[in-house]
Amino acid sequence: MSQINVLKRIVLPLYCCIFLPYCVPAQNAVTSGRLYVEPPTLICLGFEWYIGGDDNRNASVEVAYRKAGDPGWKTGMPLIRIGDEMAGIAELTYRTPRLFAGSIIDLEPDTEYECRLTLSDPDGVELGQAVHILRIKTRAEPQAKANGRIRHVYPPDWKGEKETPAYEGLMHAYYGFRRYADHNQTVDPVQPGDMILVHAGTYKADRYNYRNEHALTFHGTYSLTHDGTPERPIVIKAAGDGAAIFDGDGAYRLFDLMAADYHHLEGLTIRNADIGILAGEKNVLGCEGLVVKNCRIENVGIGIMAQYRGCRNFYLADNHITGRVDTTRLLRKERGPDGKLQQRAYSYYGVKVYGQGHVICHNYVAYFFDGIDICTHGAAELQEDERSVAIDVYNNDIFLTNDNFFEADGGTYNLRFLRNRGFNSAQSGFTNQPVLGGPVYWIRNIGYNIPEKPALKYWETRPGAIIAYHNVFTTYSGRSWKGMNNAQFRNNLFLQPDDAPQPTLGMKTYTSYTTSDYNGYRFHDGQEAPISWHAPKPGVLRDYVLSHEASTFQTLEDLAAATGQEQHSITVDFSDFVKVPVPNFKAWQAANPDPDAEAFPIWYPEGMDFHLSPGSKAIDAGVRIPNVNDDFMGEAPDMGALEGNRPAPHYGPRN
């Protein structure tokens, strides 16, 4: 057979199945395409396996993994079947390609793993490779090593002895020249492996002084432009003799690292600027390998901004990031200068990223409009290495956001939000508008006091592949009544207070393969309909019109009988926890009327205990999920975020 005919037999069916699914006869057998291994993070591995055919969506990919050299295999979560879902908004609709995507989570850093992915289909695997066995190593936590020169920076008012070589200000140490205004020579700049030790003091430039000693005339920005390497980063670190404070004096951006790859900022205090650290801007520039550890970023409008498609492999950990919004009340709207109620973002977000391979863990973020976000860029990037994939957000502690705790909005594949805690979000806690393919994993998160909107937000952006396992949400509405695609809900607890009128169990999905079971719900007398279910009619894979009315139910038993969903789900109450009070919203507003704002109460996590109380029906009421609850105690996994009497995760900075 000629090479041209061979190409026609392989490429044409793949093209038709992926891009023209409604223009060709049904092709139920699956064809195996390319496997893309995403950049590994410290604790997770992600995969994208492109396919054709499988029109009836009954193919599957099983996952097994083990440490290299171990004899036995462990079972992972199966990859998630994605394809033909419509995501986005009316002005920008994105149809997902056909593939399987998914992650292996909670691995050990700096460890080589063997991974086995097996594609199968009752209708057959017609073309391509059905089994992949790969060796992949997780990343090590980046460390600041003194494997180059050490330079010492001192503030202008330093009175003690100085270690050599000593420099007057950070720009002097970084570029090797005592810069002033229009004198921007570079004489002996930092090299890969160099470390700049910043000694105690406040570094605050008079940026309107033509010859200020910090070389920040007018703009007030430390603009850093040299590159380190993964093995030899450029390190800017507090010397350890007291607080090293960089005060922006109200500048627009204080640190600009968009053109500086592999830099470490450690132990610094960065404050009083609109943007604390600018690491990437859409369609402009962005850096790779940024590390921000053990820093305090305070009194800023934006903590860390990195919205460039080429940003890769950040490690943002153990930081304390605080904004400028009102710390005494939770605001949705307040009156602006024109007297009208409006949303005012005095501080926008703590962290926002785009790109691949980022790890954002153990941070405390408070007093912003948003907490930690993925950038809503638009349609997915055409190049695989530019899409927003393989991003880990775990063990963070978010307190008081006037919009959302976490946004997966705009991400593409394998977005992993694990073991985070959020207290007080005025609108929605965990948003997905839109996720362009997925999966986005929401696993063992706690969201408390979300008084205005649902805990999981979709709106009408039709996000795809939402995986929600073992979460606890106390909220106005457990799930958004707006539409989404291709979701799985297991082992979650959704609790509403008595004065929240929306359904506790609200579901609107455009795909018949969305499933929900083994969850706990708190219903109450203040609801017109405790349960609302809106999905395609039986026998229809997906329906983006849903012209028929939503079905409402009074009990889980009624829902299960009519739809087959939630067959093992139960009712729960706040008494099922060791100590979690009921956050009634409307009663507080009635007792605290404010004509100038839509405000809500603030609750504090101290003293609360989200472990299940002895005798709770949610104990041993969950379902086994490989790679998520393998270490469950008792006869079956517990519902909710915490298992048995094991200690709760450590939320926020570890230092």
Side-chain angles (χ1 to χ4, degrees), residues 203-233:
Y203 298 79
K204 181 178 180 180
D206 177 2
R207 53 198 173 97
Y208 301 113
N209 179 355
Y210 182 72
R211 295 194 178 277
N212 77 76
E213 52 274 283
H214 297 285
L216 304 183
T217 300
F218 199 77
H219 56 76
T221 301
Y222 293 98
S223 184
L224 310 180
T225 57
H226 289 276
D227 291 338
T229 69
E231 297 76 22
R232 296 171 62 83

PDB file of all heavy atoms in Angstrom, residues 203-233:
ATOM      1  N   TYR A 203      13.579  49.875  52.234  1.00  0.00           N
ATOM      2  CA  TYR A 203      14.074  50.365  50.948  1.00  0.00           C
ATOM      3  C   TYR A 203      12.908  51.086  50.265  1.00  0.00           C
ATOM      4  O   TYR A 203      12.035  50.465  49.669  1.00  0.00           O
ATOM      5  CB  TYR A 203      14.588  49.210  50.096  1.00  0.00           C
ATOM      6  CG  TYR A 203      15.755  48.469  50.733  1.00  0.00           C
ATOM      7  CD1 TYR A 203      15.544  47.531  51.751  1.00  0.00           C
ATOM      8  CD2 TYR A 203      17.060  48.737  50.348  1.00  0.00           C
ATOM      9  CE1 TYR A 203      16.608  46.874  52.348  1.00  0.00           C
ATOM     10  CE2 TYR A 203      18.138  48.081  50.944  1.00  0.00           C
ATOM     11  CZ  TYR A 203      17.899  47.152  51.944  1.00  0.00           C
ATOM     12  OH  TYR A 203      18.957  46.496  52.540  1.00  0.00           O
ATOM     13  N   LYS A 204      12.905  52.405  50.405  1.00  0.00           N
ATOM     14  CA  LYS A 204      11.805  53.213  49.893  1.00  0.00           C
ATOM     15  C   LYS A 204      12.387  54.403  49.157  1.00  0.00           C
ATOM     16  O   LYS A 204      13.043  55.262  49.753  1.00  0.00           O
ATOM     17  CB  LYS A 204      10.898  53.677  51.035  1.00  0.00           C
ATOM     18  CG  LYS A 204       9.703  54.505  50.590  1.00  0.00           C
ATOM     19  CD  LYS A 204       8.843  54.877  51.791  1.00  0.00           C
ATOM     20  CE  LYS A 204       7.633  55.697  51.365  1.00  0.00           C
ATOM     21  NZ  LYS A 204       6.780  56.060  52.521  1.00  0.00           N
ATOM     22  N   ALA A 205      12.160  54.442  47.856  1.00  0.00           N
ATOM     23  CA  ALA A 205      12.744  55.500  47.046  1.00  0.00           C
ATOM     24  C   ALA A 205      11.847  56.729  47.016  1.00  0.00           C
ATOM     25  O   ALA A 205      10.627  56.614  46.982  1.00  0.00           O
ATOM     26  CB  ALA A 205      12.954  54.992  45.623  1.00  0.00           C
ATOM     27  N   ASP A 206      12.459  57.885  47.026  1.00  0.00           N
ATOM     28  CA  ASP A 206      11.760  59.117  46.649  1.00  0.00           C
ATOM     29  C   ASP A 206      11.837  59.167  45.132  1.00  0.00           C
ATOM     30  O   ASP A 206      12.788  59.697  44.551  1.00  0.00           O
ATOM     31  CB  ASP A 206      12.447  60.320  47.288  1.00  0.00           C
ATOM     32  CG  ASP A 206      11.798  61.640  46.865  1.00  0.00           C
ATOM     33  OD1 ASP A 206      10.798  61.591  46.105  1.00  0.00           O
ATOM     34  OD2 ASP A 206      12.305  62.697  47.265  1.00  0.00           O
ATOM     35  N   ARG A 207      10.834  58.597  44.473  1.00  0.00           N
ATOM     36  CA  ARG A 207      10.941  58.406  43.022  1.00  0.00           C
ATOM     37  C   ARG A 207      10.826  59.704  42.245  1.00  0.00           C
ATOM     38  O   ARG A 207      11.061  59.711  41.026  1.00  0.00           O
ATOM     39  CB  ARG A 207       9.912  57.385  42.543  1.00  0.00           C
ATOM     40  CG  ARG A 207       8.488  57.630  42.918  1.00  0.00           C
ATOM     41  CD  ARG A 207       7.673  56.340  42.760  1.00  0.00           C
ATOM     42  NE  ARG A 207       6.321  56.463  43.268  1.00  0.00           N
ATOM     43  CZ  ARG A 207       5.259  56.741  42.509  1.00  0.00           C
ATOM     44  NH1 ARG A 207       5.417  56.917  41.216  1.00  0.00           N
ATOM     45  NH2 ARG A 207       4.065  56.826  43.038  1.00  0.00           N
ATOM     46  N   TYR A 208      10.492  60.783  42.898  1.00  0.00           N
ATOM     47  CA  TYR A 208      10.484  62.077  42.215  1.00  0.00           C
ATOM     48  C   TYR A 208      11.803  62.830  42.400  1.00  0.00           C
ATOM     49  O   TYR A 208      11.970  63.923  41.884  1.00  0.00           O
ATOM     50  CB  TYR A 208       9.309  62.912  42.697  1.00  0.00           C
ATOM     51  CG  TYR A 208       7.983  62.223  42.453  1.00  0.00           C
ATOM     52  CD1 TYR A 208       7.201  61.772  43.501  1.00  0.00           C
ATOM     53  CD2 TYR A 208       7.531  61.977  41.150  1.00  0.00           C
ATOM     54  CE1 TYR A 208       6.004  61.107  43.271  1.00  0.00           C
ATOM     55  CE2 TYR A 208       6.340  61.311  40.913  1.00  0.00           C
ATOM     56  CZ  TYR A 208       5.580  60.883  41.981  1.00  0.00           C
ATOM     57  OH  TYR A 208       4.405  60.219  41.731  1.00  0.00           O
ATOM     58  N   ASN A 209      12.713  62.221  43.126  1.00  0.00           N
ATOM     59  CA  ASN A 209      14.062  62.765  43.269  1.00  0.00           C
ATOM     60  C   ASN A 209      14.911  62.242  42.116  1.00  0.00           C
ATOM     61  O   ASN A 209      15.109  61.041  41.962  1.00  0.00           O
ATOM     62  CB  ASN A 209      14.653  62.340  44.618  1.00  0.00           C
ATOM     63  CG  ASN A 209      16.072  62.844  44.817  1.00  0.00           C
ATOM     64  OD1 ASN A 209      16.677  63.446  43.932  1.00  0.00           O
ATOM     65  ND2 ASN A 209      16.611  62.580  45.997  1.00  0.00           N
ATOM     66  N   TYR A 210      15.442  63.167  41.312  1.00  0.00           N
ATOM     67  CA  TYR A 210      16.172  62.801  40.103  1.00  0.00           C
ATOM     68  C   TYR A 210      17.339  61.869  40.414  1.00  0.00           C
ATOM     69  O   TYR A 210      17.697  61.009  39.600  1.00  0.00           O
ATOM     70  CB  TYR A 210      16.672  64.075  39.429  1.00  0.00           C
ATOM     71  CG  TYR A 210      17.398  63.855  38.128  1.00  0.00           C
ATOM     72  CD1 TYR A 210      16.711  63.482  36.977  1.00  0.00           C
ATOM     73  CD2 TYR A 210      18.777  64.050  38.041  1.00  0.00           C
ATOM     74  CE1 TYR A 210      17.365  63.302  35.779  1.00  0.00           C
ATOM     75  CE2 TYR A 210      19.445  63.874  36.841  1.00  0.00           C
ATOM     76  CZ  TYR A 210      18.740  63.500  35.709  1.00  0.00           C
ATOM     77  OH  TYR A 210      19.399  63.320  34.519  1.00  0.00           O
ATOM     78  N   ARG A 211      17.948  62.008  41.569  1.00  0.00           N
ATOM     79  CA  ARG A 211      19.097  61.167  41.913  1.00  0.00           C
ATOM     80  C   ARG A 211      18.850  60.404  43.222  1.00  0.00           C
ATOM     81  O   ARG A 211      19.673  60.426  44.131  1.00  0.00           O
ATOM     82  CB  ARG A 211      20.364  62.004  42.019  1.00  0.00           C
ATOM     83  CG  ARG A 211      20.789  62.627  40.697  1.00  0.00           C
ATOM     84  CD  ARG A 211      22.202  63.173  40.745  1.00  0.00           C
ATOM     85  NE  ARG A 211      22.618  63.722  39.461  1.00  0.00           N
ATOM     86  CZ  ARG A 211      23.096  62.998  38.450  1.00  0.00           C
ATOM     87  NH1 ARG A 211      23.228  61.694  38.595  1.00  0.00           N
ATOM     88  NH2 ARG A 211      23.452  63.576  37.319  1.00  0.00           N
ATOM     89  N   ASN A 212      17.721  59.726  43.287  1.00  0.00           N
ATOM     90  CA  ASN A 212      17.492  58.941  44.513  1.00  0.00           C
ATOM     91  C   ASN A 212      18.420  57.741  44.524  1.00  0.00           C
ATOM     92  O   ASN A 212      18.771  57.170  43.485  1.00  0.00           O
ATOM     93  CB  ASN A 212      16.024  58.547  44.627  1.00  0.00           C
ATOM     94  CG  ASN A 212      15.641  57.403  43.711  1.00  0.00           C
ATOM     95  OD1 ASN A 212      15.954  56.246  43.979  1.00  0.00           O
ATOM     96  ND2 ASN A 212      14.949  57.730  42.611  1.00  0.00           N
ATOM     97  N   GLU A 213      18.808  57.349  45.725  1.00  0.00           N
ATOM     98  CA  GLU A 213      19.846  56.338  45.876  1.00  0.00           C
ATOM     99  C   GLU A 213      19.409  54.933  45.476  1.00  0.00           C
ATOM    100  O   GLU A 213      20.225  54.025  45.365  1.00  0.00           O
ATOM    101  CB  GLU A 213      20.378  56.316  47.314  1.00  0.00           C
ATOM    102  CG  GLU A 213      19.311  56.189  48.388  1.00  0.00           C
ATOM    103  CD  GLU A 213      18.727  57.529  48.804  1.00  0.00           C
ATOM    104  OE1 GLU A 213      19.363  58.268  49.541  1.00  0.00           O
ATOM    105  OE2 GLU A 213      17.594  57.800  48.358  1.00  0.00           O
ATOM    106  N   HIS A 214      18.085  54.705  45.239  1.00  0.00           N
ATOM    107  CA  HIS A 214      17.617  53.377  44.846  1.00  0.00           C
ATOM    108  C   HIS A 214      17.483  53.221  43.328  1.00  0.00           C
ATOM    109  O   HIS A 214      17.117  52.153  42.847  1.00  0.00           O
ATOM    110  CB  HIS A 214      16.270  53.082  45.507  1.00  0.00           C
ATOM    111  CG  HIS A 214      16.341  53.037  46.992  1.00  0.00           C
ATOM    112  ND1 HIS A 214      16.892  51.975  47.680  1.00  0.00           N
ATOM    113  CD2 HIS A 214      15.940  53.935  47.933  1.00  0.00           C
ATOM    114  CE1 HIS A 214      16.812  52.218  48.976  1.00  0.00           C
ATOM    115  NE2 HIS A 214      16.249  53.392  49.157  1.00  0.00           N
ATOM    116  N   ALA A 215      17.779  54.290  42.570  1.00  0.00           N
ATOM    117  CA  ALA A 215      17.732  54.259  41.106  1.00  0.00           C
ATOM    118  C   ALA A 215      16.335  53.926  40.588  1.00  0.00           C
ATOM    119  O   ALA A 215      16.184  53.171  39.634  1.00  0.00           O
ATOM    120  CB  ALA A 215      18.763  53.275  40.558  1.00  0.00           C
ATOM    121  N   LEU A 216      15.315  54.481  41.235  1.00  0.00           N
ATOM    122  CA  LEU A 216      13.932  54.250  40.814  1.00  0.00           C
ATOM    123  C   LEU A 216      13.264  55.565  40.428  1.00  0.00           C
ATOM    124  O   LEU A 216      12.108  55.813  40.755  1.00  0.00           O
ATOM    125  CB  LEU A 216      13.140  53.565  41.930  1.00  0.00           C
ATOM    126  CG  LEU A 216      13.693  52.259  42.470  1.00  0.00           C
ATOM    127  CD1 LEU A 216      12.742  51.689  43.518  1.00  0.00           C
ATOM    128  CD2 LEU A 216      13.903  51.250  41.364  1.00  0.00           C
ATOM    129  N   THR A 217      14.007  56.410  39.741  1.00  0.00           N
ATOM    130  CA  THR A 217      13.491  57.733  39.426  1.00  0.00           C
ATOM    131  C   THR A 217      12.189  57.658  38.641  1.00  0.00           C
ATOM    132  O   THR A 217      12.109  57.028  37.601  1.00  0.00           O
ATOM    133  CB  THR A 217      14.536  58.526  38.634  1.00  0.00           C
ATOM    134  OG1 THR A 217      15.712  58.653  39.435  1.00  0.00           O
ATOM    135  CG2 THR A 217      14.018  59.910  38.263  1.00  0.00           C
ATOM    136  N   PHE A 218      11.182  58.262  39.163  1.00  0.00           N
ATOM    137  CA  PHE A 218       9.851  58.475  38.620  1.00  0.00           C
ATOM    138  C   PHE A 218       8.986  57.217  38.588  1.00  0.00           C
ATOM    139  O   PHE A 218       7.877  57.220  39.098  1.00  0.00           O
ATOM    140  CB  PHE A 218       9.903  59.093  37.210  1.00  0.00           C
ATOM    141  CG  PHE A 218       8.594  59.719  36.833  1.00  0.00           C
ATOM    142  CD1 PHE A 218       8.231  60.941  37.355  1.00  0.00           C
ATOM    143  CD2 PHE A 218       7.711  59.079  35.996  1.00  0.00           C
ATOM    144  CE1 PHE A 218       7.013  61.516  37.045  1.00  0.00           C
ATOM    145  CE2 PHE A 218       6.485  59.637  35.682  1.00  0.00           C
ATOM    146  CZ  PHE A 218       6.139  60.862  36.213  1.00  0.00           C
ATOM    147  N   HIS A 219       9.461  56.119  37.997  1.00  0.00           N
ATOM    148  CA  HIS A 219       8.582  54.951  37.848  1.00  0.00           C
ATOM    149  C   HIS A 219       8.492  54.119  39.120  1.00  0.00           C
ATOM    150  O   HIS A 219       7.498  53.449  39.350  1.00  0.00           O
ATOM    151  CB  HIS A 219       9.046  54.071  36.684  1.00  0.00           C
ATOM    152  CG  HIS A 219      10.465  53.612  36.788  1.00  0.00           C
ATOM    153  ND1 HIS A 219      10.876  52.607  37.641  1.00  0.00           N
ATOM    154  CD2 HIS A 219      11.579  54.032  36.142  1.00  0.00           C
ATOM    155  CE1 HIS A 219      12.176  52.416  37.513  1.00  0.00           C
ATOM    156  NE2 HIS A 219      12.627  53.270  36.605  1.00  0.00           N
ATOM    157  N   GLY A 220       9.519  54.114  39.936  1.00  0.00           N
ATOM    158  CA  GLY A 220       9.474  53.406  41.212  1.00  0.00           C
ATOM    159  C   GLY A 220       9.526  51.897  41.113  1.00  0.00           C
ATOM    160  O   GLY A 220       9.136  51.208  42.060  1.00  0.00           O
ATOM    161  N   THR A 221      10.053  51.345  39.992  1.00  0.00           N
ATOM    162  CA  THR A 221       9.991  49.905  39.745  1.00  0.00           C
ATOM    163  C   THR A 221      11.376  49.280  39.704  1.00  0.00           C
ATOM    164  O   THR A 221      12.264  49.780  38.999  1.00  0.00           O
ATOM    165  CB  THR A 221       9.282  49.630  38.407  1.00  0.00           C
ATOM    166  OG1 THR A 221       7.971  50.174  38.460  1.00  0.00           O
ATOM    167  CG2 THR A 221       9.202  48.139  38.135  1.00  0.00           C
ATOM    168  N   TYR A 222      11.524  48.163  40.426  1.00  0.00           N
ATOM    169  CA  TYR A 222      12.720  47.339  40.285  1.00  0.00           C
ATOM    170  C   TYR A 222      12.520  46.458  39.049  1.00  0.00           C
ATOM    171  O   TYR A 222      11.877  45.409  39.110  1.00  0.00           O
ATOM    172  CB  TYR A 222      12.934  46.466  41.517  1.00  0.00           C
ATOM    173  CG  TYR A 222      13.274  47.257  42.765  1.00  0.00           C
ATOM    174  CD1 TYR A 222      12.300  47.579  43.702  1.00  0.00           C
ATOM    175  CD2 TYR A 222      14.572  47.697  42.993  1.00  0.00           C
ATOM    176  CE1 TYR A 222      12.604  48.312  44.836  1.00  0.00           C
ATOM    177  CE2 TYR A 222      14.893  48.430  44.132  1.00  0.00           C
ATOM    178  CZ  TYR A 222      13.903  48.736  45.041  1.00  0.00           C
ATOM    179  OH  TYR A 222      14.217  49.463  46.170  1.00  0.00           O
ATOM    180  N   SER A 223      13.057  46.904  37.917  1.00  0.00           N
ATOM    181  CA  SER A 223      12.894  46.187  36.657  1.00  0.00           C
ATOM    182  C   SER A 223      14.105  45.286  36.458  1.00  0.00           C
ATOM    183  O   SER A 223      15.223  45.767  36.215  1.00  0.00           O
ATOM    184  CB  SER A 223      12.764  47.184  35.507  1.00  0.00           C
ATOM    185  OG  SER A 223      12.513  46.519  34.301  1.00  0.00           O
ATOM    186  N   LEU A 224      13.880  43.979  36.549  1.00  0.00           N
ATOM    187  CA  LEU A 224      14.962  42.991  36.510  1.00  0.00           C
ATOM    188  C   LEU A 224      14.905  42.253  35.181  1.00  0.00           C
ATOM    189  O   LEU A 224      13.833  41.797  34.770  1.00  0.00           O
ATOM    190  CB  LEU A 224      14.834  42.024  37.681  1.00  0.00           C
ATOM    191  CG  LEU A 224      14.644  42.690  39.062  1.00  0.00           C
ATOM    192  CD1 LEU A 224      14.533  41.638  40.150  1.00  0.00           C
ATOM    193  CD2 LEU A 224      15.771  43.668  39.362  1.00  0.00           C
ATOM    194  N   THR A 225      16.052  42.104  34.521  1.00  0.00           N
ATOM    195  CA  THR A 225      16.034  41.656  33.129  1.00  0.00           C
ATOM    196  C   THR A 225      17.056  40.574  32.800  1.00  0.00           C
ATOM    197  O   THR A 225      17.198  40.213  31.631  1.00  0.00           O
ATOM    198  CB  THR A 225      16.286  42.854  32.191  1.00  0.00           C
ATOM    199  OG1 THR A 225      17.532  43.473  32.536  1.00  0.00           O
ATOM    200  CG2 THR A 225      15.163  43.876  32.293  1.00  0.00           C
ATOM    201  N   HIS A 226      17.770  40.046  33.766  1.00  0.00           N
ATOM    202  CA  HIS A 226      18.740  38.987  33.474  1.00  0.00           C
ATOM    203  C   HIS A 226      18.123  37.626  33.796  1.00  0.00           C
ATOM    204  O   HIS A 226      17.154  37.528  34.546  1.00  0.00           O
ATOM    205  CB  HIS A 226      20.034  39.213  34.249  1.00  0.00           C
ATOM    206  CG  HIS A 226      20.827  40.374  33.731  1.00  0.00           C
ATOM    207  ND1 HIS A 226      21.692  40.277  32.672  1.00  0.00           N
ATOM    208  CD2 HIS A 226      20.846  41.679  34.101  1.00  0.00           C
ATOM    209  CE1 HIS A 226      22.228  41.452  32.419  1.00  0.00           C
ATOM    210  NE2 HIS A 226      21.723  42.332  33.284  1.00  0.00           N
ATOM    211  N   ASP A 227      18.707  36.575  33.240  1.00  0.00           N
ATOM    212  CA  ASP A 227      18.165  35.226  33.393  1.00  0.00           C
ATOM    213  C   ASP A 227      19.066  34.361  34.250  1.00  0.00           C
ATOM    214  O   ASP A 227      20.297  34.362  34.076  1.00  0.00           O
ATOM    215  CB  ASP A 227      18.008  34.541  32.026  1.00  0.00           C
ATOM    216  CG  ASP A 227      16.918  35.171  31.184  1.00  0.00           C
ATOM    217  OD1 ASP A 227      16.033  35.817  31.762  1.00  0.00           O
ATOM    218  OD2 ASP A 227      16.962  35.011  29.956  1.00  0.00           O
ATOM    219  N   GLY A 228      18.431  33.601  35.149  1.00  0.00           N
ATOM    220  CA  GLY A 228      19.105  32.481  35.764  1.00  0.00           C
ATOM    221  C   GLY A 228      18.808  31.222  34.971  1.00  0.00           C
ATOM    222  O   GLY A 228      18.280  31.265  33.852  1.00  0.00           O
ATOM    223  N   THR A 229      19.110  30.085  35.539  1.00  0.00           N
ATOM    224  CA  THR A 229      18.799  28.796  34.925  1.00  0.00           C
ATOM    225  C   THR A 229      18.116  27.929  35.968  1.00  0.00           C
ATOM    226  O   THR A 229      18.174  28.225  37.174  1.00  0.00           O
ATOM    227  CB  THR A 229      20.064  28.086  34.424  1.00  0.00           C
ATOM    228  OG1 THR A 229      20.858  27.679  35.558  1.00  0.00           O
ATOM    229  CG2 THR A 229      20.886  29.000  33.522  1.00  0.00           C
ATOM    230  N   PRO A 230      17.469  26.826  35.564  1.00  0.00           N
ATOM    231  CA  PRO A 230      16.846  25.959  36.573  1.00  0.00           C
ATOM    232  C   PRO A 230      17.831  25.468  37.625  1.00  0.00           C
ATOM    233  O   PRO A 230      17.483  25.367  38.807  1.00  0.00           O
ATOM    234  CB  PRO A 230      16.288  24.805  35.736  1.00  0.00           C
ATOM    235  CG  PRO A 230      16.065  25.381  34.382  1.00  0.00           C
ATOM    236  CD  PRO A 230      17.173  26.366  34.187  1.00  0.00           C
ATOM    237  N   GLU A 231      19.051  25.158  37.224  1.00  0.00           N
ATOM    238  CA  GLU A 231      20.046  24.663  38.177  1.00  0.00           C
ATOM    239  C   GLU A 231      20.744  25.786  38.923  1.00  0.00           C
ATOM    240  O   GLU A 231      21.234  25.592  40.035  1.00  0.00           O
ATOM    241  CB  GLU A 231      21.096  23.818  37.446  1.00  0.00           C
ATOM    242  CG  GLU A 231      20.569  22.553  36.792  1.00  0.00           C
ATOM    243  CD  GLU A 231      19.821  22.836  35.493  1.00  0.00           C
ATOM    244  OE1 GLU A 231      20.053  23.923  34.886  1.00  0.00           O
ATOM    245  OE2 GLU A 231      19.009  21.992  35.079  1.00  0.00           O
ATOM    246  N   ARG A 232      20.801  26.975  38.325  1.00  0.00           N
ATOM    247  CA  ARG A 232      21.517  28.105  38.910  1.00  0.00           C
ATOM    248  C   ARG A 232      20.644  29.367  38.835  1.00  0.00           C
ATOM    249  O   ARG A 232      20.880  30.260  38.023  1.00  0.00           O
ATOM    250  CB  ARG A 232      22.855  28.322  38.195  1.00  0.00           C
ATOM    251  CG  ARG A 232      23.816  27.148  38.363  1.00  0.00           C
ATOM    252  CD  ARG A 232      25.040  27.322  37.460  1.00  0.00           C
ATOM    253  NE  ARG A 232      25.815  28.516  37.789  1.00  0.00           N
ATOM    254  CZ  ARG A 232      26.724  28.598  38.747  1.00  0.00           C
ATOM    255  NH1 ARG A 232      26.983  27.526  39.495  1.00  0.00           N
ATOM    256  NH2 ARG A 232      27.396  29.715  38.966  1.00  0.00           N
ATOM    257  N   PRO A 233      19.611  29.437  39.672  1.00  0.00           N
ATOM    258  CA  PRO A 233      18.751  30.627  39.655  1.00  0.00           C
ATOM    259  C   PRO A 233      19.466  31.842  40.235  1.00  0.00           C
ATOM    260  O   PRO A 233      20.476  31.722  40.942  1.00  0.00           O
ATOM    261  CB  PRO A 233      17.571  30.206  40.531  1.00  0.00           C
ATOM    262  CG  PRO A 233      18.163  29.217  41.479  1.00  0.00           C
ATOM    263  CD  PRO A 233      19.199  28.462  40.698  1.00  0.00           C
TER     264      PRO A 233
END
